[in-house]
Amino acid sequence: MNLKRWVVAAGTALGLLAAPAQAAITTVVDSFATFPTYNNIGVKAYYTGDDDSDAVVIATIKLNGAATVDTLPPFVRMHWGGTPRKYWASSALWCGSDSTYTITVTVTDPDGTTNGSSGALSVTTWAAPNISVPGKQIWMGPFGSDANSGLTSAAPKATFAGALAAMTTAGDQLRLLSGTYYAMRTDSLLVPAGTKNGTATARYSVVGDAGVIISGADTTGLVGASWGSNDIGGVTAFCKAFSPAIWPRAVVLDDSLRLYPYNTFYKLKTDPQGVVSQFGAFWVTSDRNSVFIRLPASLGGVVSGHTVYVARRASAMRIQGHAWRVDSLTFRDFGNGYNQTSTSITEPVISVTGKNQLVQNCTFKNNGRPAIGVRTLSDGTQLTTQWATIQKNRFITNTIGESWNGPTNNFVGVLRSVSAACPAADTSCYFLNITYPVLIIEIGRGHVIRRNDFRGGADGAARWASEAADTAQGAITDCDFYQNNIINIASDCIEPDSWSGVNCRVYWNTALGGESGLNLSMLRGPMYFVFNTLVNHIRGVLPV
């Protein structure tokens, strides 16, 4: 079977909706539009009429200066809503970056066509992100002071708020000196909409020296010796009281030993999953004032001398200004809160809105929330969250067992057999209701997710999460997901749960182990899913 033809046919089936009652069988083309990314170009032809659906669209593409002319994949006919704006959509795949192409679109209707030719449309794909620093550097250190100027590494700022106040011009950079930054001390980086907007050639940036870690852990619980020993019916647990109240989605010992969450004291004591000996477990009291932990056998029953990371903060950064770069930072131990439906998506570790955002070369490790969320920011007149690039990052979630043979097929933080039925008001099962994707794409056009490494995760490496029509503010269109490595994901590796999903391109990815390879829930199309390698998924590769 020709894989490429199969994918286009599937996209057509997903995208084709019933035409309205015939009123006009001739076709009037209103306009043509192109939407480039680094290596692909979305193409649309907007029209009225053709109620008998017999018009044909053909498009060609040629690299300027080259002799070869190629034909785009077949166009998909799109209708939206009761009074739809109708169009055909296709994509030019695998173009060169920073290159100019000529695209010609021709619409032919045997009943008659008006404005059927686009003429020569000139389109330039994106160049690699500009990461120059035309502005000044503001330095920040783990033990700096906001009384310092921040203009040299010898006089660093101490908090994100202090450093942000010193960043006054597009192109300024916040440079973090090596060390561990606890959000309880530095607070989170909050950039309100409209306050600091960079440009594609003069981004604001937050960049770390080697060894920079930003932690959401509670600093009062770090020292293992501060945890008291308790006999709980013949087994030993260690307890720590916290103030104010806490509800961690992640508890980690030392660098990477993530404990299993039990939702009741009885389960912590009896260990029905049989995980304590190898992995340990934790439980939070119903008043959220104390955390109990049971240690794995490898620690010899001694918590003293070990570091205990209990997630206190939900998020590290919320950036709503345009054109920011987040680069070379490690984020760990974020994820506090228990209401999955209202907070797991809306409070990722890094939340980006606006245009031209760039997150690269970062590591996200053992967080209890989505690592990155591309979020809603609307000015009421246009789509303002567009063109985010997420590349060359590592997403690490240490898990219990493997997705296909772990204890009852459950991951750390996930008990899927119960979580789906957990009442929102039932505090006894909040711990079971904390599934979350690694990346959540909530809105916008032109996002590129490429060359990332996903290792473990509770509910998908990436999820498109908008149900908005392509004519609405919240549409997700013309997005690319390629050259990503995805290993050991608890749920669907790639999950475009989106009613819009027009010209979404997924290719050259590798997914090893997990619940399923690709979930196409609600996708309208056209979507291109080609040249991906999917191996060892317990529910199959394509549970469409």
Side-chain angles (χ1 to χ4, degrees):
M1 176 169 51
N2 187 307
L3 177 60
K4 189 171 182 179
R5 289 183 179 177
W6 180 89
V7 171
V8 172
T12 304
L14 289 163
L16 185 60
L17 300 180
Q22 292 188 10
I25 61 174
T26 63
T27 298
V28 177
V29 180
D30 300 321
S31 61
F32 300 90
T34 57
F35 305 96
T37 58
Y38 298 104
N39 299 112
N40 302 288
I41 303 171
V43 182
K44 294 178 181 177
Y46 297 91
Y47 70 99
T48 56
D50 190 34
D51 291 344
D52 56 353
S53 300
D54 61 351
V56 176
V57 186
I58 296 176
T60 60
I61 182 171
K62 185 176 80 71
L63 174 66
N64 286 7
T68 303
V69 178
D70 294 313
T71 301
L72 269 64
F75 279 69
V76 174
R77 184 189 303 268
M78 307 297 298
H79 293 181
W80 291 100
T83 55
R85 185 183 189 191
K86 302 189 291 187
Y87 61 88
W88 291 280
S90 181
S91 286
L93 304 174
W94 307 316
C95 304
S97 61
D98 195 19
S99 301
T100 301
Y101 292 83
T102 297
I103 294 177
T104 302
V105 186
T106 303
V107 179
T108 304
D109 187 335
D111 305 305
T113 308
T114 302
N115 304 325
S117 176
S118 67
L121 303 173
S122 182
V123 189
T124 300
T125 54
W126 300 350
N130 188 317
I131 59 172
S132 62
V133 184
K136 60 182 176 296
Q137 282 188 323
I138 300 299
W139 293 84
M140 182 171 163
F143 300 99
S145 169
D146 282 349
N148 293 335
S149 68
L151 295 174
T152 68
S153 59
K157 296 287 188 179
T159 69
F160 283 113
L164 188 65
M167 300 172 70
T168 56
T169 306
D172 285 355
Q173 180 182 95
L174 171 54
R175 184 74 172 266
L176 276 68
L177 294 167
S178 181
T180 299
Y181 298 76
Y182 291 97
M184 282 186 68
R185 297 171 180 163
T186 65
D187 213 339
S188 301
L189 176 64
L190 305 176
V191 183
T195 57
K196 295 187 187 294
N197 292 326
T199 68
T201 57
R203 299 177 187 271
Y204 283 100
S205 58
V206 186
V207 179
D209 285 350
V212 169
I213 297 173
I214 301 176
S215 173
D218 191 300
T219 56
T220 67
L222 293 172
V223 179
S226 67
W227 290 70
S229 178
N230 293 264
D231 184 296
I232 55 172
V235 298
T236 299
F238 294 87
C239 178
K240 178 74 176 179
F242 291 89
S243 180
I246 194 170
W247 205 295
R249 292 178 175 226
V251 176
V252 179
L253 295 179
D254 298 328
D255 182 59
S256 58
L257 182 56
R258 185 165 182 174
L259 306 185
Y260 188 84
Y262 276 125
N263 65 308
T264 68
F265 174 81
Y266 179 77
K267 288 181 179 180
L268 180 73
K269 174 185 171 181
T270 59
D271 187 25
Q273 298 290 336
V275 296
V276 168
S277 177
Q278 187 174 357
F279 303 105
F282 75 97
W283 167 70
V284 181
T285 57
S286 59
D287 59 10
R288 298 185 287 161
N289 287 329
S290 298
V291 177
F292 283 77
I293 63 175
R294 289 187 61 188
L295 304 179
S298 60
L299 269 62
V302 178
V303 71
S304 180
H306 297 279
T307 305
V308 186
Y309 298 95
V310 179
R312 160 64 70 181
R313 291 301 186 95
S315 61
M317 296 183 178
R318 187 179 301 141
I319 299 174
Q320 296 181 338
H322 298 311
W324 276 72
R325 171 169 64 107
V326 180
D327 200 333
S328 303
L329 304 171
T330 294
F331 299 88
R332 59 168 296 169
D333 315 313
F334 286 89
N336 182 58
Y338 52 79
N339 188 343
Q340 185 263 344
T341 58
S342 67
T343 59
S344 70
I345 290 176
T346 59
E347 288 293 340
V349 178
I350 294 181
S351 170
V352 293
T353 60
K355 299 178 181 178
N356 287 307
Q357 310 292 19
L358 173 63
V359 182
Q360 64 176 15
N361 303 318
C362 292
T363 298
F364 297 81
K365 187 171 184 179
N366 285 326
N367 296 292
R369 291 189 178 275
I372 303 173
V374 179
R375 301 288 314 288
T376 303
L377 177 65
S378 169
D379 63 3
T381 61
Q382 61 179 331
L383 297 175
T384 55
T385 296
Q386 302 183 70
W387 315 316
T389 297
I390 301 170
Q391 63 179 13
K392 302 178 184 178
N393 302 288
R394 297 191 71 205
F395 304 95
I396 303 169
T397 302
N398 291 301
T399 60
I400 294 177
E402 306 295 336
S403 56
W404 54 91
N405 65 3
T408 64
N409 291 324
N410 296 325
F411 266 45
V412 166
V414 184
L415 191 52
R416 304 186 67 79
S417 61
V418 179
S419 65
C422 180
D426 185 359
T427 58
S428 68
C429 63
Y430 273 141
F431 260 120
L432 308 181
N433 193 15
I434 60 174
T435 60
Y436 54 90
V438 180
L439 303 181
I440 185 77
I441 310 300
E442 186 178 297
I443 187 172
R445 169 175 284 122
H447 306 311
V448 178
I449 304 167
R450 61 179 183 173
R451 301 165 189 160
N452 300 286
D453 189 19
F454 299 86
R455 302 295 176 110
D459 189 22
R463 182 189 296 166
W464 288 255
S466 172
E467 298 183 14
D470 189 28
T471 53
Q473 287 281 92
I476 297 174
T477 65
D478 303 289
C479 295
D480 299 333
F481 185 90
Y482 62 89
Q483 291 182 325
N484 299 285
N485 292 318
I486 308 166
I487 298 175
N488 205 20
I489 296 291
S491 186
D492 309 304
C493 289
I494 306 168
E495 193 170 0
D497 288 350
S498 169
W499 276 114
S500 44
V502 177
N503 281 335
C504 288
R505 297 159 296 239
V506 180
Y507 58 92
W508 296 344
N509 301 287
T510 300
L512 305 177
E515 189 173 18
S516 63
L518 174 72
N519 190 329
L520 294 182
S521 302
M522 304 186 294
L523 190 75
R524 294 237 175 178
M527 177 177 181
Y528 303 88
F529 186 76
V530 292
F531 301 126
N532 298 283
T533 300
L534 308 174
V535 179
N536 207 5
H537 298 282
I538 60 176
R539 286 183 55 217
V541 172
L542 295 170
V544 178

